[in-house]
Amino acid sequence: MRIKAAVCYGEREPLVVEEVELDPPRANEVLIKYVASGVCHSDVSIHQGFLPRDYPLILGHEGAGIIERVGEGVTAVQPGDHVVLGFIPSCGTCKWCHVGVPILCDLGAHIRTGKMIDGTARHHSTKDGRDLHTLMFISTFAEYSVVPEASVVKVPEHLPLEKLCLLGCGFTTGFGAATNAIHIKPGETVTIVGCGGLGTAAIQGARLSGAGKIIAVDVQEAKLDLAKKFGATHTVRSRGNPEEVVNEILEITWGVGTDYSMEFVGGDQTDDTVRVAFNAVRKGGTMVMIGVAERSKQNFAIDPYTLALWSKRIVGVLFGNAQFRVDIPRYAELYDQGKIDLDGMVTQEIELGQINQAFDDVLAGDRVIRSVIRF
Ligand SMILES: [Zn+2]
Ligand SMILES: [Zn+2]
């Protein structure tokens, strides 16, 4: 079938919205009609070349839609089901899925290839027939996609997919980091460095966990104002002055530092943002690294003396350590109950044709938490 998709022909080249040929689903695959897709910072990081990929490529990895057709052997979903897509699939049969860490599912080894699990492509150019690469099997900057059954999870039909799409990446990554990767006890304290989509989701996770002080750090005043709306109790503006930022956090915590810190800066990560997160943590505390730094960045600046003598812990977290088949319906329930705010995370809804502007908005840093494409 012919569909419309935003095709990326190379790093930093404007995405081209055009007709694309999409194959029918094969065994254990489903055809999805996307209703909405968030524009995540990682899409832009790939486009900027910070996370290398093969081209041409259809980006997008934070989607929600309706199952249109299922391939042979599909049992988990049927046509008409509303689903959110996980950007890491979960096969349900490998060792990692069995021990409860599906973010490490063996199928994840294929997500960087730009091909489907069987090594072939479903999207093709209508101009010359060449294969188009998929992003993480799901390529959500498209009206339809064919994706593995392992990448979808059913969600209740009465909830708006244009909000639930955030559960496919940003919200789950941030909220899960605060509620799965660490276990904040009521009254404990946390520093959140970087208050975009992930950071604001983490603030909500910390708030629901009963955190005492939630200290938000960002360079943008606008993001700090938003951080307060999501539950930050204190904000610290960073202006290239990491020592002062840490001193302010120490002052807020009676000289102790916070029990936890989380670094969400990702593509813009610098030695300073890491140092703030590390030095904000008290002795024996835990620093969580979530934002994905530029691929070429091979180390970060942590003082090993303090790490050992202050008995600190540094933990890496992927996709919020989510068990996405369990967690995404759980978060949908929290949204239904009004206990988490997804609406406030969506700054603007756009059409697919406005995708390049949406990328510029991400790069500007201060304009949007999330742009969501409505199909
Ligand atoms: Zn993402
Ligand atoms: Zn698995």
Side-chain angles (χ1 to χ4, degrees), residues 351-365:
E351 291 173 8
L352 185 59
Q354 296 167 284
I355 185 71
N356 290 301
Q357 178 61 45
F359 274 32
D360 288 344
D361 288 340
V362 170
L363 288 170

Side-chain angles (χ1 to χ4, degrees), residues 2 132 140 145 153 156 161 194 208 253 320 344 355 358 360:
R2 289 214 161 181
L132 304 174
T140 62
S145 246
V153 58
L161 290 170
L208 276 189
T253 55
I355 185 71
D360 288 344

Side-chain angles (χ1 to χ4, degrees), residues 89-98 102 104-107:
S90 168
C91 71
T93 56
C94 76
K95 168 184 167 179
W96 308 104
C97 285
H98 270 289
L104 301 180
C105 175
D106 286 339
L107 291 182

